[in-house]
C-alpha cells in the first residue's frame, strides 16, 4: 500500500516536470473572429499587435463541362506543372543588394496638384508596390516596372506643378524604392536602380533563386596570363553564403595574381588578371559556369560574368531552357495580321519582361504578355485585321524566336510559347524545399547498376542536404552511375553508363521514401546520349499521368487520387453538367499548380492561384512591422511560443495578450500536496505507538518507514540551482508543518509567478537539475523497478510468503502420505484380525464336531 502511494507522489512530480502541465500563461485574442492564438511553449508575457493582411489559399483548377462522369476522354497524358512560373516578382527584402525596402508610406503628388498617401506598409514584392500605386482612386499617376526601376507616369495632362514623390513622416520607403528624388516638370519619371549586388547579397537569392552551389574539391580554375593557374576550393570548411564572402574566398587564393569583385554594373562578378604575359586568361569549373565566366574571352585582363542578380518582375533569360538559357538575343521578325512586318530589336534584353516590353514598344501591332499558364509568353495580334497570318520568325543568327518557342505562322490571332522551362531546381536547392515545400525524407536508397553492383546512400548522413549533395553522393558510389540536373531544370536525371545486361534500378530501403520523394525510384530506360547507349532514370517536379485506354472523367479522377501526386481531383456536378475540380495538396504559393489536359481532350482553367497567409507583427501607422508569410493559415512561432490561426484578413490589428495564469500550476501543485499527505497519513497509521497501551502499528520501527520519511523530507527541502531566484519549494508556498504534512500557500505561488514565471517553470522542469529530475532519483530509490527499497521489500515479503506456501504444501503432502501409510496399516491389521477371527471360529466348529463324535 505504501509502495502504491509513493508511486502516486512520483507520478505527480513527473507531471510537474512537464512544462505543458505548468502552463502558467493565458493567451487571448481581442478579435477571435479574425485571429486566434494559443500557446505552444512559453511565450514572453505581454501584448502583441498582429494584423492579418491576407489568408492562405490553395491552388485549384476546373475542367470544361461534360454531360456526365462517364463521358470519354482521349488516351494520352495529363501534365501538371508545379513550378517554372515566369510571373515572378522580386521580394522587397532582396532588393538593393539585400538591404531591402522599409515598409512604410509614401506621398505622390500628380501634376494636377492632387496629393495621395500610398500605404506600402504591407507590401512584400515589387508588384505589390506597383499595384498599390495604381489602385489609388484619386491619384492620376500610373506605375510600372521598366528594367530594374519603377517608372511613374502622370496621366492628368496638366502642368500645374511637378510630379513629386515624398516621404511620409520619418520614413525612408520612397528613398529605398529609388523614388525620393522624383520632383520633375516632366510627365514621366524613372526611379533609381533597385536590382544590384552588394557584399551582403545572399547567394541563395541569385540566379532566380537557383543560388550558387559548391562541390567538394575545386570549384573554380583560373589560367592566368603569366602561364600560372589557380585552383580554388570555395568550400574548404564552411561555404560562402554572401557575395562578399564569395569574393573574399576567391581573392584569398593569391591576391597578387587574381582579384574578384562586383562588376561596375552591379549585376555580375568579374575577375581581374593582375599578371602579365602571353598566356590566356580563362576561367572554368562549376563556379565559373554559374557565374557566367566560362567560355568567354578576357577584355583588357578582365573577365566579366553574366548577370546573376534577379530582375524585378520576371526571370532572367539565362534561367530559361532548364537553366541553359537562350543565348544572346538580337532581334525577331513579326508580321501582324494586317501584313505589316516589324523587326523587333532585342539587343540588351536580359529578362523575359525585357522581351515583352521590347515587343510591346515596337509598334508591331501585337501585344506580348505572360501566357495563361504563366510558364511562357503569348503574342496577341491587336490589329483586328485578317489579311495575313500572324507570323513570327528568326531575324538573327541566334534563332531567338525559335528559342523563345514563338516562331511560327498561324491563321489565328495569337501564338503561345508554351512552357519556356524556367529552371526551379538547381544543385543549390535545399532538399526541404522540393515537392512544393513538403521536402524529402532523409532516408536511405539502394542503387543497382546494370552489372548488378549495388550501393546504398543514406541521405540523413549527408552534410550537404541540397540537390547538389545528393548528386555528389550518387556520383561517389563508384559504380559507373552519374547524376545531374535534368534538361527541364525541374529535377535530377541519373545515368548508368555500364554495359551490363541487368536492370538499372533505384529503390527505397525499408521504411524510407527518399527515392520516391526525389522522383527517382524505378528502373532505368534506354537512351542514347552522345552516341552512347545508356540507361536513365529521371526525377521531375512536373507530374505526368498516363491515361490508359477508354478513359472517362470518373476513371481519371480515381487515377489522380491513387497516384499520390501533387493534386487531388473530385467530380463537381452542377445541374446537367459535370466537371473535374483539381486541388493542390500543398497550400500557399509553394502549392501552385497548372493542369494541362490538352493531350487527353480535357480543357482546364485555373480558378485559384495559391497564395501565402501574410501577417504583420506589431505594425504601426508609420511601419508595417515585421511581415511573416505562411503556406497555411496556422502560423507557428512567428511570435516565439505562440500558434496563430488566421481566420480572416482585416484592416485593423488584433491584440494578442499573453498573461499570467496560475490555475494549471496551482492545480498540479495541490494534487502533489494531496498525494504527499496521503503517504504521510498512512505512515502515521502503520508506524504508530500508543504509550498508554503499548500497542504499535504494523511497521513501527521499520527501516522502510524511516527511509520513506527521510526521502520525502529531502525532496521538499532540497535546493535547486539554475532556475533564477527560485531555489526551494518554500518560495513557492510549500512547506512541512510540525506533523510532517505538506502545506500549500497559493498566495506565495502567485507572487513568485508575478515576479518571474519562467523561473518557476524552470524550477520544476530543468533537465537533470530541476525539482522533477532530482525528485525522480530520490523516489526511484524507493519505488524504482530495479532496486527500489519498497519494491525490493515487497518482493522479499512475497518470496517469504511463497516459501511459506511451499512449506505448507510440502507438509500437507507429507501428512497426506503419512495418513495413507497409517490407513493402509490399519486396513492390514483389520484384515489380520478378521483372519484370526475366522481361524478361531473354525477351531470352535471343529471342537464342537469332535465333542459330538465323542472324540
Amino acid at each position: 500500500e505504501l509502495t502504491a502511494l509513493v508511486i502516486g507522489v512520483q507520478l505527480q512530480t513527473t507531471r510537474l516536470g512537464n512544462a505543458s502541465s505548468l502552463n502558467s500563461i493565458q493567451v487571448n485574442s481581442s478579435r477571435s473572429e479574425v485571429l486566434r492564438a494559443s500557446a505552444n511553449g512559453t511565450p514572453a508575457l505581454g501584448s502583441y499587435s498582429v494584423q492579418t493582411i491576407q489568408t492562405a489559399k490553395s491552388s485549384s483548377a476546373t475542367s470544361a463541362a461534360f454531360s456526365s462522369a462517364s463521358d470519354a476522354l482521349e488516351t494520352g497524358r495529363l501534365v501538371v506543372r508545379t513550378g517554372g512560373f515566369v510571373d515572378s516578382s522580386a521580394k522587397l527584402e532582396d532588393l538593393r543588394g539585400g538591404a531591402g525596402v522599409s515598409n512604410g508610406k509614401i506621398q505622390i503628388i500628380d501634376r494636377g496638384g492632387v496629393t495621395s498617401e500610398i500605404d506600402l506598409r504591407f507590401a512584400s514584392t515589387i508588384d505589390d508596390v506597383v499595384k498599390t500605386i495604381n489602385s489609388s482612386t484619386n491619384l492620376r499617376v500610373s506605375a510600372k516596372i521598366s528594367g530594374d526601376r519603377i517608372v511613374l507616369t502622370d496621366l492628368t495632362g496638366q502642368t500645374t506643378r511637378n510630379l513629386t514623390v515624398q516621404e511620409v513622416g520619418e520614413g525612408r520607403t520612397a528613398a529605398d524604392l529609388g523614388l525620393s528624388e522624383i520632383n520633375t516638370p516632366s510627365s514621366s519619371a524613372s526611379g533609381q536602380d533597385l536590382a544590384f549586388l552588394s557584399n551582403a547579397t545572399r547567394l541563395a537569392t541569385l540566379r532566380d533563386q537557383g543560388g550558387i552551389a559548391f562541390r567538394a574539391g575545386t570549384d573554380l580554375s583560373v589560367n592566368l596570363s603569366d602561364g600560372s593557374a589557380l585552383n580554388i576550393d570555395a568550400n574548404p570548411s564552411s561555404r560562402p553564403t554572401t557575395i562578399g564572402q564569395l569574393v573574399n574566398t576567391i581573392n584569398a587564393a593569391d591576391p597578387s595574381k587574381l582579384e574578384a569583385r562586383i562588376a561596375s554594373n552591379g549585376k555580375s562578378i568579374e575577375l581581374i588578371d593582375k599578371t602579365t604575359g602571353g598566356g590566356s586568361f580563362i576561367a572554368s569549373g562549376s563556379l565559373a559556369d554559374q557565374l557566367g565566366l566560362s567560355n568567354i574571352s578576357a577584355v583588357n585582363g578582365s573577365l566579366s560574368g553574366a548577370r546573376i542578380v534577379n530582375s524585378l518582375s520576371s526571370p532572367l533569360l539565362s534561367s530559361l531552357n532548364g537553366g541553359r538559357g537562350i543565348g544572346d538575343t538580337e532581334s525577331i521578325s513579326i508580321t501582324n495580321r494586317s501584313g505589316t512586318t516589324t523587326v523587333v530589336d532585342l539587343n540588351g534584353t536580359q529578362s523575359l519582361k525585357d522581351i515583352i516590353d521590347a515587343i510591346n514598344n515596337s509598334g508591331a501591332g501585337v501585344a506580348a504578355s505572360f501566357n495563361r499558364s504563366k510558364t511562357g509568353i503569348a503574342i496577341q495580334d491587336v490589329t483586328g485585321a485578317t489579311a495575313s497570318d500572324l507570323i513570327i520568325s528568326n531575324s538573327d543568327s541566334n534563332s531567338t524566336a525559335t528559342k523563345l518557342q514563338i516562331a511560327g505562322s498561324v491563321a489565328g490571332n495569337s501564338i503561345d510559347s508554351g512552357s519556356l522551362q524556367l529552371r526551379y531546381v538547381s544543385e543549390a536547392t535545399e532538399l526541404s524545399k522540393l515537392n512544393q515545400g513538403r521536402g524529402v525524407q532523409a532516408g536511405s536508397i539502394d542503387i543497382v547498376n546494370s552489372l548488378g553492383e549495388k550501393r546504398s546512400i543514406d541521405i540523413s548522413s549527408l552534410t550537404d542536404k541540397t540537390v547538389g549533395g545528393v548528386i555528389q553522393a550518387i556520383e561517389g558510389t563508384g559504380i559507373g552511375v552519374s547524376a545531374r540536373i535534368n534538361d527541364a531544370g525541374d529535377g535530377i536525371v541519373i545515368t548508368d553508363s555500364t554495359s551490363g545486361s541487368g536492370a538499372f534500378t533505384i529503390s527505397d530501403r525499408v521504411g524510407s521514401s527518399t527515392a520516391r520523394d526525389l522522383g527517382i525510384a524505378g528502373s532505368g530506360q534506354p537512351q542514347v546520349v552522345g552516341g552512347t547507349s545508356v540507361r536513365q532514370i529521371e526525377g521531375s517536379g512536373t507530374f505526368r499521368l498516363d491515361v490508359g485506354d477508354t478513359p472517362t472523367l470518373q476513371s481519371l479522377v480515381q487515377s489522380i487520387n491513387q497516384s499520390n501526386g501533387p493534386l487531388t481531383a473530385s467530380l463537381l456536378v452542377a445541374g446537367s453538367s459535370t466537371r473535374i475540380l483539381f486541388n493542390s495538396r500543398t497550400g500557399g504559393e509553394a502549392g501552385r499548380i497548372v493542369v494541362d489536359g490538352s493531350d487527353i481532350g480535357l480543357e482546364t482553367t485555373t480558378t485559384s492561384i495559391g497564395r501565402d497567409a501574410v501577417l504583420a507583427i506589431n505594425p504601426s501607422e508609420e511601419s508595417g512591422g515585421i511581415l511573416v508569410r505562411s503556406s497555411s493559415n496556422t502560423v507557428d512561432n512567428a511570435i516565439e511560443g505562440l500558434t496563430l490561426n488566421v481566420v480572416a484578413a482585416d484592416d485593423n490589428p488584433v491584440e494578442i495578450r499573453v498573461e499570467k495564469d496560475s490555475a494549471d500550476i496551482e492545480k498540479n501543485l495541490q494534487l502533489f500536496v494531496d498525494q504527499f499527505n496521503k503517504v504521510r497519513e498512512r505512515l502515521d497509521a502503520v508506524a504508530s505507538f500508543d504509550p498508554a497501551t503499548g500497542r504499535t502499528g504494523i511497521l513501527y520501527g521499520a527501516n522502510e518507514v524511516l527511509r520513506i520519511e527521510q526521502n520525502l523530507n529531502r525532496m521538499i527541502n532540497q535546493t535547486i540551482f539554475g532556475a533564477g531566484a527560485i531555489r526551494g519549494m518554500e518560495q513557492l508556498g510549500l512547506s512541512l508543518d510540525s506533523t510532517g504534512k505538506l502545506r500549500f500557500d497559493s498566495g506565495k505561488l502567485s507572487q513568485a509567478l508575478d515576479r518571474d514565471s519562467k523561473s518557476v517553470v524552470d524550477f520544476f522542469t530543468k533537465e537533470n537539475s530541476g525539482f522533477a529530475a532530482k525528485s525522480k532519483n530520490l523516489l526511484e530509490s524507493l519505488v524504482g523497478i530495479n532496486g527500489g527499497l519498497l519494491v525490493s521489500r515487497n518482493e522479499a515479503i512475497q518470496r517469504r510468503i511463497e516459501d511459506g506456501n511451499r512449506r505448507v504444501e510440502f507438509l500437507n503432502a507429507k501428512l497426506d502420505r503419512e495418513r495413507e501409510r497409517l490407513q493402509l496399516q490399519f486396513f492390514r491389521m483389520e484384515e489380520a484380525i478378521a483372519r484370526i477371527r475366522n481361524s478361531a471360529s473354525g477351531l470352535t466348529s471343529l471342537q464342537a464336531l469332535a465333542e459330538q463324535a465323542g472324540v
Side-chain angles (χ1 to χ4, degrees):
E1 185 178 1
L2 281 173
T3 302
L5 290 172
V6 174
I7 288 175
V9 175
Q10 186 182 45
L11 291 174
Q12 281 306 123
T13 59
T14 300
R15 185 186 295 265
L16 288 172
N18 185 349
S20 64
S21 70
L22 303 178
N23 185 11
S24 59
I25 60 170
Q26 187 176 49
V27 182
N28 293 303
S29 168
S30 63
R31 298 176 63 203
S32 58
E33 72 277 9
V34 174
L35 182 69
R36 301 191 185 103
S38 60
N40 61 31
T42 54
L45 301 179
S47 179
Y48 304 91
S49 178
V50 182
Q51 188 165 340
T52 56
I53 308 305
Q54 69 180 28
T55 57
K57 186 166 60 174
S58 295
S59 186
S60 64
T62 57
S63 73
F66 288 79
S67 298
S68 71
S70 60
D71 281 8
L73 298 170
E74 299 174 20
T75 301
R77 173 176 286 182
L78 178 76
V79 177
V80 181
R81 300 191 181 279
T82 60
F85 304 111
V86 298
D87 57 339
S88 58
S89 179
K91 295 180 180 178
L92 297 184
E93 64 187 23
D94 294 334
L95 299 180
R96 302 173 57 248
V101 173
S102 302
N103 290 98
K105 298 177 180 179
I106 65 174
Q107 188 179 76
I108 300 179
I109 306 171
D110 65 25
R111 299 203 65 194
V114 174
T115 299
S116 180
E117 188 173 88
I118 308 298
D119 189 352
L120 300 176
R121 290 177 299 161
F122 310 119
S124 297
T125 67
I126 198 70
D127 276 359
D128 292 341
V129 173
V130 170
K131 290 176 182 176
T132 304
I133 294 174
N134 290 336
S135 63
S136 176
T137 56
N138 60 335
L139 184 72
R140 298 199 62 197
V141 172
S142 70
K144 68 176 183 179
I145 300 299
S146 179
D148 294 328
R149 305 165 188 266
I150 298 176
V151 176
L152 300 181
T153 302
D154 182 88
L155 304 176
T156 64
Q158 299 185 36
T159 57
T160 303
R161 59 161 299 158
N162 286 356
L163 174 61
T164 307
V165 180
Q166 299 174 344
E167 302 285 6
V168 172
E170 299 299 320
R172 54 167 295 105
T173 303
D176 288 349
L177 289 171
L179 302 175
S180 61
E181 295 183 5
I182 293 180
N183 186 354
T184 176
S186 173
S187 60
S188 180
S190 178
Q192 297 174 353
D193 189 347
L194 298 176
F196 53 84
L197 299 174
S198 77
N199 286 335
T201 301
R202 292 181 297 121
L203 299 183
T205 65
L206 301 177
R207 302 171 65 235
D208 293 314
Q209 313 303 320
I212 303 293
F214 301 96
R215 289 195 166 202
T218 300
D219 292 292
L220 177 65
S221 295
V222 181
N223 294 331
L224 300 163
S225 298
D226 66 354
S228 62
L230 295 175
N231 293 316
I232 301 170
D233 181 0
N235 187 28
S237 57
S238 60
R239 66 186 58 197
T241 59
T242 66
I243 283 289
Q245 292 172 3
L246 176 60
V247 167
N248 290 340
T249 299
I250 297 174
N251 288 336
D254 192 336
S256 66
K257 291 187 174 184
L258 179 68
E259 178 188 357
R261 66 189 184 191
I262 297 172
S264 58
N265 62 11
K267 314 294 183 182
S268 60
I269 297 293
E270 64 180 2
L271 300 180
I272 308 299
D273 184 357
K274 293 185 174 183
T275 70
T276 58
S280 297
F281 181 30
I282 300 172
S284 60
S286 63
L287 183 55
D289 293 341
Q290 295 174 85
L291 296 178
L293 293 165
S294 299
N295 303 316
I296 61 173
S297 299
V299 178
N300 298 323
S302 174
L303 290 173
S304 296
R307 173 170 177 155
I308 57 175
V309 68
N310 305 335
S311 74
L312 294 186
S313 58
S314 72
L316 300 174
L317 298 179
S318 58
S319 296
L320 303 180
N321 192 24
R324 297 183 300 279
I326 63 171
D328 295 330
T329 55
E330 296 177 13
S331 61
I332 60 174
S333 175
I334 300 178
T335 301
N336 61 32
R337 298 211 66 190
S338 69
T340 302
T341 299
T342 303
V343 175
V344 181
D345 183 6
L346 299 179
N347 278 294
T349 54
Q350 295 180 317
S351 71
L352 197 57
K353 182 66 163 49
D354 290 344
I355 297 284
I356 291 173
D357 288 345
I359 293 173
N360 289 336
N361 295 331
S362 68
V366 296
S369 63
F370 298 133
N371 60 12
R372 287 181 61 191
S373 66
K374 302 299 187 291
T375 59
I377 59 174
I379 312 299
Q380 179 81 26
D381 181 272
V382 294
T383 64
T386 58
S388 168
D389 286 354
L390 174 61
I391 305 170
I392 303 178
S393 61
N394 299 308
S395 65
D396 60 5
S397 57
N398 188 45
S399 302
T400 299
T402 299
K403 291 181 178 179
L404 286 171
Q405 300 175 186
I406 54 175
S409 176
V410 297
N413 293 325
S414 66
I415 292 178
D416 191 323
S417 70
S419 173
L420 291 175
Q421 294 186 328
L422 170 64
R423 178 202 58 226
Y424 61 94
V425 174
S426 72
E427 289 197 20
T429 301
E430 297 174 7
L431 297 180
S432 60
K433 294 183 179 179
L434 295 179
N435 296 317
Q436 299 177 297
R438 297 191 300 276
V440 173
Q441 185 200 43
S444 298
I445 64 176
D446 289 331
I447 302 177
V448 182
N449 68 13
S450 64
L451 296 175
E453 297 172 314
K454 180 179 178 180
R455 296 289 187 275
S456 296
I457 299 174
D458 183 4
I459 303 299
S460 64
S461 67
L462 298 181
T463 302
D464 183 4
K465 291 193 169 50
T466 63
V467 173
V470 174
I471 288 175
Q472 292 181 68
I474 292 173
E475 295 192 328
T477 58
I479 57 173
V481 175
S482 61
R484 62 176 175 83
I485 301 298
N486 64 4
D487 291 343
D490 65 358
I492 305 175
V493 61
I494 303 169
T495 303
D496 176 12
S497 300
T498 61
S499 55
S501 58
F504 167 43
T505 62
I506 299 178
S507 60
D508 283 305
R509 307 199 89 181
V510 176
S512 172
S513 64
T514 304
R516 185 187 68 191
D517 293 344
L518 287 168
I520 57 174
S523 299
Q525 301 301 312
Q527 302 286 343
V528 176
V529 178
T532 302
S533 295
V534 297
R535 292 178 175 87
Q536 285 188 338
I537 296 176
E538 183 170 355
S540 172
T542 299
F543 174 73
R544 297 173 175 86
L545 179 66
D546 290 321
V547 178
D549 295 335
T550 63
T552 64
L553 266 66
Q554 181 70 60
S555 66
L556 176 61
V557 167
Q558 293 173 350
S559 297
I560 290 173
N561 292 333
Q562 292 169 1
S563 68
N564 197 35
L567 76 168
T568 61
S570 58
L571 291 172
L572 181 64
V573 179
S576 60
S577 66
T578 300
R579 304 171 187 264
I580 298 179
L581 176 63
F582 303 95
N583 282 298
S584 175
R585 289 185 186 272
T586 303
E589 292 180 4
R592 186 175 178 180
I593 58 173
V594 169
V595 181
D596 181 2
S598 58
D599 194 44
I600 59 174
L602 186 73
E603 183 180 343
T604 63
T605 301
T606 298
T607 52
S608 174
I609 296 178
R611 73 181 185 195
D612 291 342
V614 179
L615 300 177
I617 309 298
N618 289 336
S620 66
E621 279 299 313
E622 297 77 27
S623 169
I626 304 298
L627 295 184
V628 176
R629 306 181 74 89
S630 171
S631 61
S632 75
N633 287 318
T634 299
V635 186
D636 288 323
N637 296 316
I639 300 171
E640 186 178 7
L642 290 180
T643 294
L644 304 176
N645 293 290
V646 183
V647 181
D650 198 85
D651 292 335
N652 298 304
V654 175
E655 183 184 10
I656 303 297
R657 296 184 302 278
V658 181
E659 302 168 324
K660 295 182 181 67
D661 181 6
S662 61
D664 284 347
I665 188 171
E666 184 175 332
K667 172 185 174 184
N668 282 290
L669 278 176
Q670 186 61 58
L671 289 172
F672 170 76
V673 169
D674 293 343
Q675 192 64 38
F676 183 97
N677 288 338
K678 285 181 182 179
V679 178
R680 183 70 264 176
E681 290 170 0
R682 192 57 188 152
L683 287 175
D684 291 342
V686 299
S688 63
F689 172 70
D690 186 346
T693 63
R695 296 182 62 181
T696 62
I698 192 171
L699 293 179
Y700 176 73
N703 176 58
E704 292 81 8
V705 171
L706 294 176
R707 283 284 302 279
I708 293 172
E709 289 180 332
Q710 289 173 356
N711 284 16
L712 290 182
N713 289 342
R714 285 174 60 192
M715 180 176 67
I716 299 303
N717 294 321
Q718 64 185 318
T719 300
I720 304 297
F721 296 98
I726 307 297
R727 297 290 180 85
M729 291 288 260
E730 189 173 0
Q731 292 174 267
L732 303 178
L734 281 83
S735 60
L736 295 171
D737 64 14
S738 59
T739 67
K741 286 189 175 182
L742 197 56
R743 296 290 179 249
F744 179 32
D745 182 352
S746 60
K748 280 191 175 182
L749 173 65
S750 296
Q751 292 173 6
L753 289 171
D754 288 339
R755 286 192 301 269
D756 189 354
S757 62
K758 185 178 185 301
S759 291
V760 175
V761 174
D762 286 347
F763 173 84
F764 290 106
T765 64
K766 203 80 171 180
E767 188 176 3
N768 299 324
S769 62
F771 175 82
K774 296 181 73 172
S775 297
K776 178 182 178 181
N777 295 331
L778 287 171
L779 296 176
E780 278 289 302
S781 68
L782 296 175
V783 294
I785 295 176
N786 299 316
L789 175 65
L790 295 181
V791 174
S792 298
R793 183 62 174 149
N794 277 324
E795 291 174 348
I797 293 173
Q798 187 61 37
R799 285 195 297 270
R800 289 177 59 187
I801 292 172
E802 291 172 355
D803 289 344
N805 288 336
R806 284 193 293 270
R807 181 64 179 167
V808 169
E809 290 174 0
F810 170 76
L811 292 175
N812 284 337
K814 186 175 180 180
L815 288 173
D816 288 341
R817 289 194 299 273
E818 185 64 18
R819 183 182 297 108
E820 290 176 358
R821 186 185 67 78
L822 291 174
Q823 286 178 341
L824 180 60
Q825 186 178 4
F826 175 78
F827 291 150
R828 288 175 178 171
M829 290 177 63
E830 286 291 314
E831 289 176 350
I833 293 171
R835 286 195 297 271
I836 292 171
R837 287 177 177 172
N838 288 337
S839 297
S841 176
L843 290 173
T844 302
S845 297
L846 288 173
Q847 185 179 5
L849 290 174
E851 290 177 354
Q852 291 177 359
V855 179

